[in-house]
Amino acid sequence: MSFIKDLITLEVVTVSGTIDVSVNDVENRNVDDQKPMSVIDFDELFKRIQGEVSSQSKLRIIAATQINIDKDTYNFVSSDLSEAENLLADMHFKSVDLAMKSRAEIVARLKPNFTRKENPGN
Amino acid sequence: MSDSRVSEFVGHCKAIEQAGDGGKSSFQQMDNLVEDRMTKVYQVPYQTIALMPAEPDANNEKQLRGLYHQLAQHLVDLGYLSRKAFIAYGKHHKKILEEPSLLQDVLRGVQQYLKEEEDAEIVDLLRETGREINLLWLEQYLALVVEGISKYTSFDGSLEPPANYQVGDVSCYGRSLAFRFRVLFAMDEAIEDAYVFRKDMLKYKLSMENILQHGMRDLDIAATDMDEVTTIDADFWELITDIDALMDVYFRSKPAEVQNKLYAIAYRLGANRSIKGQELIVLDKKPSRRRSGNPLQWTQNRLKRAKAITHGGYAYIGFRLMQVKLWQTSFYVGVIDGDWGWQSHEAALAAQREELRHLEKPKNERLASLKKKFVKRSLFVGKKRRERNAELPWAAINMEALHAVLKNYCKSVRSREVAAESEVSELELMARLQSEHNISDEQLDTAVLDEKGLDKVYDQVSDRTERRVAYPNQKNRSFFRGLIRGIGRIAKWIVSAVRKVLGVVFAFAKAIIDRIRKGIQLFFKGFRYFSHLILGRPIGSAEQIAPGVNKYRIYATQYKLDFDAINFVPKDFTKAGVRRHKAILIEMEKSLFFFIDVVIFVIKAIAELGKGGWVWLGLQIFKFFMAGVKDLLDKGKRIVEVA
C-alpha cells in the first residue's frame, strides 16, 4: 500500500468553465489500434483542467473541500452561485462522500488482505 | 500451449496479493490486459463508468449481448416483457449497447421482476446496493439478475415451492406457474396470453391433475369448489417445476387400456423432412413381452395394427413433456408446442445415437449389451421403400425408454440418484478432456470461445418469442456428470469438425459459455472500480448539445491515487446533466463495497492457482466470483471482516 503516498489530507475541487476537448477521430483510426477508445479524450481534458486551475484563467472554482487526517474540514463554496449552480455544490459534496468512502474502504481492504509476503530466506 | 497472457493475469493477482510497491503497477498492468486482450478473448466489453458516447465495438460485445438476450427471454416467458417488445428488442439487439434507449423495455421488466422477487440472495443484493434500479445498476449486476430469474423458467427442480403463495398473486411464482401451464398445457387459447396464474385457471390445474393421476378419466371439475381453493400445495409445485417428476407421474398414470401394453409416440416420415400423423398409440392383443423374456419391439406391421389414443389430454401432454426433456438436454432447440415435427424426430434420434456411442467401448460387455438393447428399443424407425406408391415409413418412440436415456444427461436437482452421486464440476470435465483426450488449452479456447459450429444451431432463430435454448441451473449437479458420457464427442468437436453439434456438444459449449460470460461480466464491472479509484481513470458523462450534432457537454470526475478529486462541469451545464453525473457518483458509492470485496476475494483466489487457458481462467473467475458473492450475501458481512 505504499503506492498511496498522501493519505494525510483529502482535497476535492469542483470547477466550471469552457474547455475545448478534442474528439477522437474514430473514422480514421488505425485498424491496428488495440484499445477501444472513448470518443472524448479524457487525459487531455484533465491535463488542461489542471493547467487552467493553476493559472486561474478560464475556469471558475465552484467549491473546494479539504479534509485533514484529524477530520478537520475546510469547505469553500463560491458566494455568487445562482440557484441552478446550487446543484453543482450538491454534486461536489457527493464526490467528497465518494472520495472519503473509497479511501477508507480500499485502504481497509487492501491493507489486511494483501500484505507483503517476505521471503523466508531473507 | 496456452496463451502466456493467462499466466500473466495470474501473475498480476499474485503481485497484487503481495502488494508493497508493486501493487499499483500490477493493477495498472491488469487493467491494460483486461482492456487490450480479455475484451477480445471473452467478447465482453470493459467499459469504464461513464454515460459517454463510446465507439461501437460490436466484435467484442457478443457475450454481453448474449447475456442480455438470456435476460430478455426469461422476462418475456414470465410476462415482464411483452412479446411485441421482445420482438422489437430482437430486431435491434446488435445495437443495444450503443443505444441504451433500446434497453428501456428490458429495464422496466427488470424493475418489475425485482419488486416481486423474494429470493433471499436477490433481496440481500438489493439491500446491499440500493433499491434504485436504473440501467447503470443493471449493467453492473446483469449476471446476478440473469442467474436469479432463471429458476422461474427451469424444469430441473431447482425452484423451491413458495412459502406464501396465494392463487392470483402477481408474483414471480404466479408468473412461473402461468409459464408452465402455457408450455405444458396450452389446450385452451385463453391460456396463451396468461402471464400470471389466475383463479379461473384452477380448472386447468385440476384438469392436469386428472390426466396425471387418472389417465383419461372424464373430468369432474364441478365437484371441486374452486372458490375454496386459495393456494397450490407443495407437492404440485414440486411436480410442475420438475420435468422428470412430471414424466414419472405421467407414466404411472397410464389409462387402463394402455396398462401393461406397448405404447409409443408414432408418426410417419414423409418427403422433404415432413412428419405425418403424430399419435400416441397402443398395441393391443399382444403381450408386452416375448416368450424369450425380451421386451416386445415395434415393427412396421405392429405400428400399422396399433390403435391411437385419441380422447382426453393424455396424448397431448405426452408430446410436450417429451419435447421439454429433449430441450432440457440440448438435443432439441425447437419450440415446445406439442407439434412433433422433424426437429423433434431428429432430437430423439440424436439422443439415441449419443447413448449408443457411449456404450461402444464397454468395460462390462454383458451389461453394455443389455443396455444397448434397452437403448435401441427406445426408438424404431422404419426403412424407406424404393418402390412407387410404397407406404411411408413409420417411426415410434418408446417414451419411457427414451426418458430413461435422457435422464443420463440431466436429472432433476431433487433426484435421489443425484444426491448420491459425487459431483463432477466443469473444471473436472476440462481436466479429463486434457488427460484422456490430449486436448490442449489452446484447442479448448479456440473451440469454446469461437463457438465453433454453434452458429448452425442458432441459424434456426425466428422472430417467435417461445424459447429454444435451456440453460442448466448452477445447482444441478447431474449436468456435467451427464456430459462425461459424451466426452469423446466433445473432444472430437474440439479438435475437428463435427457436423451436428446438438446434444452433448451444444450442452457443453453453452454451459461453459454461460458461466464465462457471467463471471467475466461481473469481474469487469467490479475491476473498473479499481480502475477509477486507484488508477485515476476519469468518470465521465456527456450530453449531446443538440440532436444530430456531434458536440457534447462533458461532466467529469477524476480520483487520483491519494483520492483527491477534481470535478469538471461545463459552463453551459444543464440541470439534467448535473443530475445524471451525480447519479453516477451515487451509484458508484452504493456498489463500491460490494465489488471491492468480491474482486479482492477473486484476486486472492486466483493468486493461489496454477495455470491453464482462457476458458480455464474464465471458469475460475466465475467460480470464485459466485462463491464470493454468496459468501458476502449469506453471511451479511464483508469478506474483509472474515478474511
Side-chain angles (χ1 to χ4, degrees), chain B residues 81-252:
Chain B
L81 184 67
S82 71
R83 289 179 190 174
K84 197 177 157 194
F86 180 80
I87 290 169
Y89 160 87
K91 276 185 187 156
H92 303 292
H93 76 281
K94 287 203 169 169
K95 290 186 175 171
I96 54 168
L97 302 176
E98 272 174 65
E99 294 177 38
S101 62
L102 295 171
L103 284 170
Q104 284 306 317
D105 287 327
V106 169
L107 175 65
R108 275 190 283 276
V110 169
Q111 286 168 337
Q112 188 58 36
Y113 156 63
L114 292 172
K115 264 186 208 164
E116 295 174 15
E117 180 58 280
E118 292 177 2
D119 179 286
E121 280 189 17
I122 299 284
V123 170
D124 286 348
L125 175 70
L126 290 174
R127 193 192 57 234
E128 189 83 9
T129 62
R131 266 260 167 209
E132 194 189 339
I133 308 304
N134 50 29
L135 270 182
L136 270 173
W137 185 93
L138 177 60
E139 187 203 322
Q140 301 196 88
Y141 298 101
L142 181 62
L144 297 178
V145 172
V146 175
E147 191 66 18
I149 199 171
S150 66
K151 59 186 174 291
Y152 296 107
T153 60
S154 80
F155 278 94
D156 64 359
S158 54
L159 183 66
E160 293 295 327
N164 301 305
Y165 172 76
Q166 294 281 307
V167 174
D169 279 357
V170 180
S171 64
C172 298
Y173 277 94
R175 291 171 188 274
S176 179
L177 200 51
F179 164 72
R180 290 160 203 285
F181 272 89
R182 284 203 316 277
V183 170
L184 297 171
F185 204 68
M187 290 182 184
D188 189 331
E189 280 185 8
I191 261 185
E192 283 180 20
D193 293 318
Y195 285 95
V196 172
F197 189 82
R198 303 179 308 259
K199 194 138 189 154
D200 65 311
M201 290 169 72
L202 280 168
K203 59 178 182 273
Y204 303 120
K205 174 182 176 272
L206 190 65
S207 178
M208 186 186 274
E209 282 176 322
N210 258 293
I211 292 168
L212 292 178
Q213 287 167 16
H214 309 293
M216 293 186 298
R217 203 179 71 171
D218 288 338
L219 308 182
D220 190 7
I221 292 170
T224 303
D225 186 348
M226 297 290 188
D227 289 339
E228 286 181 10
V229 180
T230 57
T231 60
I232 303 285
D233 52 284
D235 288 348
F236 188 79
W237 275 111
E238 289 196 356
L239 192 64
I240 197 95
T241 53
D242 184 340
I243 185 63
D244 290 337
L246 272 167
M247 293 187 88
D248 288 343
V249 170
Y250 180 84
F251 299 140
R252 282 203 300 273

Side-chain angles (χ1 to χ4, degrees), chain A residues 1-4 6 9-19 26 29 34-37 39-40 42 45-46 49-50 59 84-85 87-88 90-92 94-95 97-99 101-103 105-106 108-110 112-117, chain B residues 16-21 23-24 32 35-36 40 52-55 57 533-534 538 540 554 556-571 573 575 578 581-582 585-586 588-589 592-593 596-597 600 604 638 640 643:
Chain A
M1 286 303 296
S2 59
F3 64 77
I4 298 177
D6 175 19
T9 60
L10 179 71
E11 290 170 355
V12 179
V13 61
T14 296
V15 298
S16 165
T18 311
I19 284 189
V26 173
R29 206 179 111 187
Q34 292 294 302
K35 280 193 182 183
M37 290 188 299
V39 174
I40 310 297
F42 273 113
L45 173 74
F46 279 99
I49 289 172
Q50 286 175 26
L59 291 175
E85 284 173 332
L87 268 178
L88 303 184
D90 281 354
M91 194 194 85
H92 169 82
K94 182 44 67 187
S95 65
D97 280 354
L98 182 59
K101 284 189 182 159
S102 309
R103 184 163 77 170
E105 295 293 333
I106 289 182
R109 278 155 178 74
L110 291 185
N113 274 284
F114 301 117
T115 50
R116 183 190 287 276
K117 285 180 184 166
Chain B
I16 292 170
E17 196 199 5
Q18 290 177 6
D21 291 337
K24 190 202 168 190
N32 292 339
E35 187 167 14
D36 290 346
K40 287 183 175 59
M52 297 295 297
E55 179 187 358
D57 196 11
L533 299 171
I534 291 182
I554 309 296
T557 298
Q558 186 185 40
Y559 288 95
K560 297 181 197 166
L561 193 53
D562 55 4
F563 300 97
D564 284 354
I566 300 177
N567 294 305
F568 171 75
V569 182
K571 195 175 177 184
F573 72 89
K575 285 185 181 178
V578 176
H581 192 68
K582 189 176 156 192
L585 300 179
I586 292 171
M588 279 191 76
E589 189 188 327
L592 176 75
F593 314 125
I596 286 183
D597 279 344
I600 287 176
K604 271 176 76 79
R638 311 234 174 280
V640 71

Side-chain angles (χ1 to χ4, degrees), chain B residues 531-545:
Chain B
S531 179
H532 286 295
L533 299 171
I534 291 182
L535 303 176
R537 279 198 184 211
I539 301 154
S541 55
E543 63 179 354
Q544 210 162 10
I545 286 176

Side-chain angles (χ1 to χ4, degrees), chain B residues 8 55 132 209 215 228 251 255 346 371 384 387 399 482 546:
Chain B
E8 203 180 310
E55 179 187 358
E132 194 189 339
E209 282 176 322
E228 286 181 10
F251 299 140
E346 285 210 315
K371 281 185 179 173
K384 251 188 197 171
E387 61 266 31
M399 293 176 72

